[in-house]
């Protein structure tokens, strides 16, 4: 982010104190910040979840690994389902599901969800899944996705959900890295009126992931897909012998692995971010309760993310279900069949809490407020944002046009690694500032430090760090202790380095400024520059590639690639499309570069290092910085000439 943009942000002086009526009924009052750290997490550990055996010690902290709620025995699916049913809440709706094709709707009560989880768990057992068996899940936004996750947790089988937009290669890499033995997928998914061939992609992935010995397939579109005898099984007609109506939840140790979520880092290989059972569940449920002020008896909560990302894990599945919430789950895109689809959903179900990403807000902003105006949104009482820095304009638009100029907007900062929201307003307490995530959540110790790791005072800028563990923090990168230590803990000894730039204002409020490493944030999705570069050089015509992000009004950042073709070939429109498709094939459509600039040479220092700073300047159309260290200074000028913007891809 440029200095000018930062100054503009800090000059933002609109203030929105918590409305009095909201504050009066809020789950979190201002004294929540006064509770000592250990007392807070001890209390939440007892109140938010039910233990089969209580924990005997709160925290063991051997940097960089924390253990929480030691000695506790717990099962996530029991906490998300059985205990609510046992408490007489079986008839409460857990999910109000809305399919993308119009008119396809269903609802699942907690009792029904439990029954389906039990059934799938018993099917998985038949397929040999037990405690410790690793399962990959490759599903769209169908109810079988949370059902599959909960069925795994019921059996004590760690899972990894791979976003349905990822390629066969990405799915295979993740399955292989985790050592998955079973894959759960669906025939096809719906997206913007067309079908996405998940099973076909899964077949391709399985060809490269020989460890997967069984594949369970959910029927969604009903179109024919190949099924390999002996390996592939339909869920709907799977016969479990003597079909038991129960499946006892496996008592898990608080520190047993719950799931891996793969995310991009600064190398081509995605990291399997590990989350364990007890601390993760307590962290997700606690933040969900206080940040969203959840009243499970009356609220209709909607997190419009995809469960394939961490947001959906913590705030569509584990947090809300643990809290006994009623959630909306929507299968499709916001503009299908028209741009008022979200608002129709809010009106139909009487949604009270909406949680989404700045990219989506900016898309709605671009389409215009008339789509929201067609619907009665008066049921809403709280709005949330996550995934990327939210510009004050989008924040204020969200509040005015969706929130009737009266609702609190909570801008929540967190990461795949943090597992739970860490910096956020509390809606009944905090005075809101558009563009600021405001304060660390109770019990969280966040700071902004300079290059030397010294804390900067109010008004200062630098790097965001965390100085104390929190229950849902990652327990490391699966199988790669070294990478975990160097990525997060080496830069500032004793502190977790998040990879984000931040500033602190005079009141001590945090303003997040985006990534400071080689990770781009496109529509709230993390993609590493090196991952895209490797996908490009994998193409037979590409000699060299360098990738960087540029600011984009809609998606936050967009991907720009600078490509040198082999044998002095010149770029062409056909080659451009071919390379975009190649990246989509290697990683997934979300990683397609918006622009590709073909250039006979990349700017390099005399020692052969690609000068990324200069490429970023070109991509951002900024005046070029110092070029004197370049081996051939003329190269950049030529690239800048060639960097004629190409139409951005969806
Ligand atoms: O750069 C920050 C940005 O998203 C990154 C984490 O991405 P991911 O692990 O995919 O998780 C996204 C959903 C939690 C962070 O390092 N980010 C996330 N939320 C915010 C944000 N940047 C600014 N403000 C936020 N509220």
């Amino acid at each position: 982010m440029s200095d000018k943009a930062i100054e503009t942000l800090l000059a933002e002086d609109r203030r929105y104190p918590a409305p009095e009526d909201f504050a009066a009924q809020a789950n979190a009052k201002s004294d929540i910040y006064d509770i000592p750290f250990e007392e807070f997490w001890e209390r939440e550990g007892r109140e938010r979840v039910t233990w089969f055996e209580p924990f005997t010690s709160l925290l063991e902290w051997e940097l960089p690994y924390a253990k929480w709620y030691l000695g506790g025995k717990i099962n996530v699916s029991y906490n998300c389902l059985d205990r609510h049913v046992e408490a007489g809440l079986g008839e409460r709706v857990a999910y109000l599901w809305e399919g993308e094709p119009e008119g396809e709707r269903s609802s699942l009560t907690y009792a029904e969800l439990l029954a389906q989880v039990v059934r799938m768990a018993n099917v998985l057992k038949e397929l040999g899944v037990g405690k410790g068996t690793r399962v990959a899940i490759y599903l769209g936004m169908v109810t079988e996705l949370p059902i599959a996750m909960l069925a795994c947790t019921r059996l004590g089988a760690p899972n990894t959900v791979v976003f349905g937009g990822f390629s066969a290669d990405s799915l295979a890499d993740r399955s292989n890295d985790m050592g998955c033995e079973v894959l759960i997928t669906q025939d096809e998914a719906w997206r913007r009126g067309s079908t996405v061939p998940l099973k076909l992609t899964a077949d391709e992935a399985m060809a490269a992931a020989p460890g997967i010995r069984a594949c369970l397939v959910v029927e969604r579109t009903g179109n024919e897909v190949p099924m390999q005898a002996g390996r592939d099984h339909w869920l709907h007609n799977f016969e479990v012998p003597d079909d038991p109506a129960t499946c006892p939840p496996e008592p898990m140790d608080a520190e047993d692995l719950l799931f891996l979520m793969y995310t991009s880092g600064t190398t081509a290989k995605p990291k399997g971010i590990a989350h364990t059972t007890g601390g993760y569940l307590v962290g997700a449920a606690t933040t969900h309760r206080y940040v969203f002020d959840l009243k499970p008896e009356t609220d209709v909560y909607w997190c419009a993310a995809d469960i394939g990302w961490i947001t959906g894990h913590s705030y569509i599945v584990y947090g809300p279900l643990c809290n006994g919430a009623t959630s909306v789950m929507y299968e499709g895109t916001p503009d299908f069949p028209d741009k008022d689809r979200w608002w129709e959903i809010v009106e139909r179900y009487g949604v009270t809490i909406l949680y989404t990403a700045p990219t989506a807000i900016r898309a709605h902003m671009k389409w215009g407020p008339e789509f929201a105006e067609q619907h009665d949104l008066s049921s809403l009482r709280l709005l949330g944002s996550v995934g990327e820095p939210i510009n004050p304009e989008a924040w204020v638009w969200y509040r005015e046009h969706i929130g009737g100029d009266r609702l609190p907007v909570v801008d929540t900062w967190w990461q795949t690694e943090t597992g739970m929201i860490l910096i956020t307003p509390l809606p009944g307490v905090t005075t809101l500032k558009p563009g600021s995530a405001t304060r660390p959540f109770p019990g969280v110790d966040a700071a902004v430090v300079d290059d030397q790791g010294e804390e900067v005072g109010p008004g200062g800028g630098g790097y965001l760090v965390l100085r104390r563990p929190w229950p849902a923090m990652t327990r490391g990168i699966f199988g790669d202790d070294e990478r975990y230590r160097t990525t997060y803990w080496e830069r500032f000894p004793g502190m977790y380095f998040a990879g984000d730039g931040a500033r602190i204002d005079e009141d001590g409020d945090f303003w997040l400024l985006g990534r400071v490493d080689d990770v781009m944030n496109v529509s709230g999705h993390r993609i590493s520059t090196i991952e895209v570069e490797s996908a490009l050089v994998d193409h037979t015509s590409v000699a060299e590639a360098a990738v960087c992000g540029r600011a984009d009004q809609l998606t936050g950042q967009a991907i720009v690639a600078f490509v040198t073709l082999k044998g002095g070939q010149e770029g062409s429109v056909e080659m451009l499309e071919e390379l975009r498709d190649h990246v989509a094939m290697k990683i997934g459509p979300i990683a397609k570069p918006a622009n590709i600039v073909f250039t006979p040479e990349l700017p390099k220092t005399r020692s052969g290092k690609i000068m990324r700073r200069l490429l970023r300047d070109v991509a951002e159309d900024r005046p070029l910085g110092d070029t004197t260290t370049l081996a051939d200074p003329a190269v950049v000028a030529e690239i800048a000439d060639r960097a004629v913007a190409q139409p951005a891809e969806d």
Side-chain angles (χ1 to χ4, degrees):
M1 192 175 274
S2 69
D3 285 351
K4 189 162 162 287
I6 293 167
E7 275 164 32
T8 320
L9 251 190
L10 290 180
E12 171 59 57
D13 57 6
R14 286 169 281 194
R15 300 287 179 269
Y16 303 87
E20 267 174 37
D21 50 346
F22 199 112
Q25 59 81 63
N27 291 345
K29 309 276 198 282
S30 60
D31 58 2
I32 195 171
Y33 290 107
D34 304 334
I35 311 173
F37 159 75
E38 291 188 337
E39 194 181 317
F40 180 74
W41 287 119
E42 178 102 25
R43 182 188 84 181
E44 297 303 317
R46 297 198 195 288
E47 290 184 5
R48 298 281 78 78
V49 300
T50 303
W51 300 88
F52 293 147
E53 279 176 41
F55 55 91
T56 48
S57 125
L58 179 71
L59 168 65
E60 191 184 290
W61 177 221
E62 277 178 32
L63 195 133
Y65 292 102
K67 289 183 181 163
W68 283 85
Y69 304 113
L70 288 94
K73 295 272 184 272
I74 190 167
N75 181 280
V76 167
S77 95
Y78 175 82
N79 270 275
C80 290
L81 302 166
D82 307 58
R83 65 175 183 143
H84 301 317
V85 176
E86 286 166 12
L89 303 173
E91 296 311 302
R92 182 184 291 166
V93 172
Y95 288 119
L96 292 157
W97 181 81
E98 169 113 355
E100 190 186 80
E102 273 187 293
E104 279 198 36
R105 285 168 212 141
S106 64
S107 73
L108 273 178
T109 63
Y110 273 89
E112 289 165 341
L113 189 60
L114 172 59
Q116 293 213 29
V117 168
V118 163
R119 183 177 129 71
M120 195 184 296
N122 283 324
V123 170
L124 290 172
K125 254 191 199 170
E126 281 301 307
L127 295 177
V129 176
K131 187 172 174 177
T133 314
R134 289 158 200 166
V135 177
I137 303 176
Y138 187 58
L139 288 167
M141 286 288 283
V142 291
T143 48
E144 286 82 358
L145 175 49
I147 290 168
M149 294 158 77
L150 293 169
C152 288
T153 71
R154 197 163 191 88
L155 300 172
N159 68 75
T160 190
V161 179
V162 178
F163 172 59
F166 274 125
S167 65
D169 276 5
S170 300
L171 175 57
D173 287 351
R174 286 157 171 77
S175 303
N176 288 334
D177 185 70
M178 188 176 184
C180 294
E181 294 179 40
V182 172
L183 170 65
I184 307 173
T185 188
Q186 68 190 76
D187 50 5
E188 297 169 322
W190 285 113
R191 191 174 165 82
R192 224 176 244 129
S194 33
T195 54
V196 183
L198 292 186
K199 174 63 167 64
L200 276 179
T201 309
D203 284 342
E204 224 183 287
M206 283 188 282
I212 298 177
R213 50 182 174 73
C215 178
L216 187 62
V217 188
V218 172
E219 187 178 49
R220 173 66 187 105
T221 63
N223 292 330
E224 206 169 311
V225 292
M227 296 289 280
Q228 184 178 307
R231 186 195 67 184
D232 302 347
H233 310 268
W234 288 107
L235 173 67
H236 63 277
N237 59 16
F238 194 103
E239 283 183 26
V240 180
D242 309 322
D243 201 6
T246 57
C247 173
E250 187 73 34
M252 301 298 284
D253 190 88
E255 281 300 329
D256 278 336
L257 182 63
L258 179 63
F259 67 83
L260 297 184
M261 168 60 68
Y262 283 85
T263 188
S264 294
T266 51
T267 70
K269 187 178 181 301
K271 309 176 272 198
I273 300 298
H275 284 290
T276 57
T277 308
Y280 172 79
L281 191 64
V282 174
T286 303
T287 45
H288 183 252
R289 175 178 154 81
Y290 295 119
V291 175
F292 299 111
D293 190 48
L294 182 83
K295 306 287 191 290
E297 304 79 20
T298 47
D299 274 318
V300 178
Y301 162 85
W302 182 19
C303 168
D306 192 292
I307 295 175
W309 308 103
I310 193 70
T311 303
H313 277 54
S314 299
Y315 299 111
I316 300 180
V317 182
Y318 299 116
L321 292 177
C322 187
N323 286 335
T326 295
S327 291
V328 169
M329 187 177 160
Y330 172 51
E331 184 183 34
T333 51
D335 54 350
F336 186 86
D338 207 347
K339 301 181 175 67
D340 69 334
R341 185 68 189 268
W342 273 22
W343 317 122
E344 187 189 295
I345 292 175
V346 169
E347 181 173 13
R348 176 173 318 114
Y349 300 110
V351 171
T352 58
I353 304 165
L354 175 66
Y355 189 33
T356 184
T359 286
I361 299 166
R362 288 191 294 262
H364 287 293
M365 226 171 124
K366 194 176 101 187
W367 297 333
E370 55 272 26
F371 296 99
E373 280 159 14
Q374 291 163 22
H375 296 277
D376 178 5
L377 307 183
S378 60
S379 55
L380 286 169
R381 66 183 194 93
L382 179 61
L383 302 174
S385 169
V386 61
E388 34 175 332
I390 182 163
N391 45 315
E393 292 63 40
W395 193 103
V396 169
W397 188 93
Y398 191 29
R399 179 185 155 99
E400 283 180 359
H401 293 282
I402 308 306
D405 210 7
R406 63 189 169 88
L407 305 190
V409 176
V410 288
D411 172 14
T412 63
W413 178 90
W414 59 295
Q415 308 178 296
T416 302
E417 294 85 343
T418 72
M420 63 183 236
I421 294 169
L422 288 190
I423 302 181
T424 179
L426 293 178
V429 180
T430 315
T431 292
L432 306 171
K433 301 174 181 176
S436 169
T438 71
R439 297 180 65 172
F441 187 77
V444 171
D445 182 14
V448 178
V449 298
D450 64 17
D451 258 334
Q452 270 65 53
E454 298 294 328
E455 185 168 6
V456 302
Y463 305 96
L464 180 67
V465 294
L466 297 153
R467 299 183 293 199
R468 193 159 63 196
W470 58 98
M473 75 188 285
T474 180
R475 304 305 196 255
I477 298 174
F478 187 71
D480 203 341
D481 169 65
E482 174 67 23
R483 190 173 179 195
Y484 177 56
R485 289 173 190 273
T486 51
T487 309
Y488 305 102
W489 300 94
E490 228 171 59
R491 176 82 196 262
F492 303 111
M495 300 183 241
Y496 171 90
F497 172 46
D500 278 32
R503 285 183 80 95
I504 262 197
D505 69 14
E506 301 299 333
D507 306 321
D509 282 326
F510 288 71
W511 298 74
L512 279 309
L513 302 174
R515 305 283 313 186
V516 293
D517 52 13
D518 288 327
V519 175
M520 299 171 290
N521 190 329
V522 181
S523 302
H525 303 319
R526 260 162 82 167
I527 301 164
S528 93
T529 52
I530 297 164
E531 219 177 334
V532 181
E533 285 167 7
S534 328
L536 285 166
V537 295
D538 177 77
H539 188 280
T540 47
S541 299
V542 174
E544 257 190 326
V547 165
C548 63
R550 65 156 165 80
D552 183 274
Q553 283 216 325
L554 198 63
T555 57
Q557 279 193 304
I559 303 175
V560 182
F562 297 87
V563 170
T564 306
L565 295 174
K566 281 185 185 156
Q569 285 179 70
E570 280 285 321
S572 63
V573 176
E574 292 73 37
M575 180 55 72
L576 186 138
E577 285 311 323
E578 202 175 312
L579 293 183
R580 274 186 184 148
D581 289 344
H582 191 74
V583 174
M585 194 259 293
K586 294 303 287 181
I587 307 173
I590 49 164
K592 275 189 184 184
N595 311 109
I596 296 180
V597 180
F598 292 104
T599 165
E601 244 182 292
L602 291 171
K604 290 192 186 138
T605 59
R606 280 170 214 118
S607 61
K609 247 182 102 195
I610 296 174
M611 294 281 282
R612 287 167 197 283
R613 177 179 54 78
L614 287 176
L615 291 175
R616 278 196 288 270
D617 288 342
V618 172
E620 297 279 12
D621 204 14
R622 282 194 295 254
L624 297 177
D626 182 11
T627 55
T628 48
T629 52
L630 281 179
D632 178 4
V635 170
V636 217
E638 177 158 356
I639 295 176
D641 280 346
R642 289 174 180 242
V644 187
Q646 280 126 25
E649 271 277 299
D650 179 3

